[in-house]
Amino acid sequence: MSLVALDWMMAEAERCGLRFIQADREYVHTHQDVHDELYDARAGLGVYYRWEPRDLVKLCDAHNIACPKVHISVFERIANGTGRYAPINLPHHYEVVRTNDERSWPSDQTLWAIERQVPHGAHSVAGPPKNESLLEGMAGTVRSGKMSYYTFVAASIPAVGWWHALPPFPQVTEALAQWCSYPNLIIGAIYACVGLLVWGWSKRVDGRMESAAQNYWQRRREALRTIFSDSQIQRGSEPAHKVARVG
C-alpha cells in the first residue's frame, strides 16, 4: 500500500525536475498495489502511541486548505472493501486526484463522477452548510476513546513500578501481606480486572466508529463500483496508441 503513495511522490518530484534511477522507478511503478496490506501503526507496543483519530477537516482549517485533495486509490480500496477499509475522517467535500504521470487512466470524467455522486448520498444536492466528516457527529465516542487510552496509560505506570519493585510498591505489597497471604495474587487480579475493563472499553469505541464508517461507505460502494466499471469499459475502448502509454 505504501508504494502507491511513494509512486505519487516520485511522480510529483519528477515534475519538478528530479531524476530517478530508471530501474528503481519502474519497480515502484509496477509493484504498487492499492489492495496491498494496510498495517496497523498501533499494533504491539504501538498501542502506547497517542490515540486520536486524525481529523482532516480541522487540519485543513488550520492550514487554510479550502478543498483537500484525495488520491483516487482511496476510493478504489473503498469500492472493493479491501480489508474492510472505510475511512471515517474524509470530509464531505474534496477534490479527487490521480498520479500525475503519463498514464491515461483514470480519466478526468472518472474523477469528476466520484466528486459529484459519492458525497451526496446522505445530503441534499446543495450539500451540508460546512465541510465536515463523520467525526463531527461522534464527538462523544472520540472523547470516550481518549479516556480509555489515558486510563490504559495511567494503569501501565504503576504496573511497571510493581513489576520492577520500585518504591513505594514494595511497601504496598508488604502492607497487603498483613491482611492476606497472597498479596501479589490480589494485585495481579486487580490489574487483570482493570486490563479487561480498558480492553472492552476500547473495543466498544472502535466498534462504534467502524460501524458508523462501514454504514456510511456501504451505501456508496455500489456507486463507486459503477463508476470504476464504466471507467474500465471506457479504458478498454481507447485507441491502441493511448492504451500503450498506460504503465
Side-chain angles (χ1 to χ4, degrees), residues 194-232:
V194 172
L196 286 174
L197 176 63
V198 174
W199 178 81
W201 187 358
S202 62
K203 285 295 182 181
R204 183 177 178 83
V205 170
D206 291 341
R208 285 182 177 178
M209 297 185 68
E210 182 176 357
S211 177
Q214 289 292 342
N215 290 337
Y216 179 85
W217 288 110
Q218 185 61 37
R219 296 192 297 268
R220 290 155 178 79
R221 282 199 175 100
E222 191 60 36
L224 279 172
R225 289 169 181 168
T226 300
I227 292 172
F228 283 119
S229 177
D230 294 343
S231 178
Q232 290 290 354

Side-chain angles (χ1 to χ4, degrees), residues 132-186:
E132 56 185 20
S133 68
L134 293 178
L135 288 175
E136 295 294 327
M138 304 193 70
T141 302
V142 173
R143 284 195 298 269
S144 180
K146 290 182 179 180
M147 290 175 61
S148 69
Y149 166 74
Y150 291 130
T151 302
F152 168 74
V153 173
S156 298
I157 295 174
V160 172
W162 174 62
W163 181 265
H164 292 281
L166 299 177
F169 298 100
Q171 290 79 0
V172 173
T173 303
E174 293 176 2
L176 287 175
Q178 298 178 5
W179 298 91
C180 64
S181 302
Y182 305 98
N184 289 335
L185 182 62
I186 298 298

Side-chain angles (χ1 to χ4, degrees), residues 39-96:
Y39 293 94
D40 184 4
R42 302 189 74 249
L45 291 178
V47 70
Y48 284 97
Y49 183 76
R50 183 184 61 179
W51 186 95
E52 184 173 5
R54 185 172 299 168
D55 194 331
L56 295 185
V57 174
K58 290 183 178 180
L59 287 174
C60 290
D61 291 342
H63 293 84
N64 297 318
I65 300 175
C67 185
K69 297 180 180 180
V70 181
H71 196 268
I72 192 170
S73 59
V74 171
F75 301 98
E76 290 183 82
R77 195 174 180 93
I78 292 174
N80 284 274
T82 307
R84 295 180 58 82
Y85 183 66
I88 198 172
N89 56 353
L90 282 186
H92 290 312
H93 298 300
Y94 43 76
E95 178 185 354
V96 183

